[in-house]
Amino acid sequence: MNGMVNSPDAPGDDPCTVTGIRAIDEPGEELVELEITVGCSRASLWKDLPGEHPWFGQFRHRVRLAWGQGQMGSGPEGWIRIEVPRGQLEDFIRAVRQAARDTDAEYQALMARRREWAQRDAQAQRDRQADPARRARLAEDQARIDAVLAETEQ
């Protein structure tokens, strides 16, 4: 499962990966408790708590929607635990893999929209700053602010 799906690199964001799926318990004769683990890169802000990464939240939600049955829990360390009927293990694994792919596609689209917005916002800010009259008005406003601050410090 290593390297199954990576989220995109983006400003302020780091890759997140489903690192494994393993059987951890047998809560009943017909059930297997599975643990899905997610990890983030060592450079990530979420490396110690991948369960708090936005990608993980979306992924966990998709797993719940895709499977929709059994007890499910998750933790900030980046794990999801869920009970699956033995006869449905293969279908569950396929559902998890599809949830990861869908989450990744949605997350990549979100990051692209965020980058577009940031570029448009930066351009708008550059355009506003390029206006000499606007710069002069802002300089006057700042001078007034500085004067009031100097008066109130005394």
Side-chain angles (χ1 to χ4, degrees):
M1 295 295 295
N2 278 344
M4 184 170 84
V5 177
N6 288 321
S7 68
D9 288 313
D13 191 34
D14 295 296
C16 202
T17 304
V18 173
T19 57
I21 299 175
R22 65 188 185 106
I24 60 171
D25 198 4
E26 183 183 48
E29 199 171 303
E30 295 297 316
L31 292 175
V32 177
E33 184 178 9
L34 299 178
E35 181 178 73
I36 304 164
T37 53
V38 171
C40 297
S41 73
R42 283 176 280 187
S44 174
L45 298 172
W46 294 280
K47 71 178 180 285
D48 295 325
L49 296 172
E52 294 183 4
H53 192 292
W55 187 95
F56 181 85
Q58 291 178 12
F59 173 67
R60 181 185 60 231
H61 181 69
R62 284 187 179 275
V63 168
R64 167 54 74 202
L65 289 176
W67 195 243
Q69 55 184 313
Q71 298 282 340
M72 183 171 154
S74 62
E77 301 83 8
W79 54 262
I80 298 171
R81 293 186 184 130
I82 190 165
E83 295 175 358
V84 178
R86 272 203 167 78
Q88 297 177 1
L89 283 173
E90 292 83 0
D91 291 339
F92 177 77
I93 300 301
R94 288 183 195 98
V96 167
R97 292 178 68 92
Q98 187 62 50
R101 285 189 294 269
D102 292 347
T103 300
D104 193 53
E106 181 181 320
Y107 202 73
Q108 286 179 20
L110 172 67
M111 291 289 96
R113 287 191 301 273
R114 284 184 180 175
R115 284 188 292 271
E116 285 177 27
W117 178 83
Q119 288 171 350
R120 281 195 308 268
D121 187 54
Q123 183 60 47
Q125 189 171 7
R126 284 190 296 273
D127 293 347
R128 286 191 304 271
Q129 290 173 347
D131 178 7
R134 184 176 186 282
R135 279 200 322 263
R137 287 190 306 272
L138 287 173
E140 289 174 14
D141 291 339
Q142 189 61 51
R144 290 172 48 208
I145 291 167
D146 292 343
V148 171
L149 289 173
E151 288 174 15
T152 59
E153 285 180 6
Q154 296 173 0

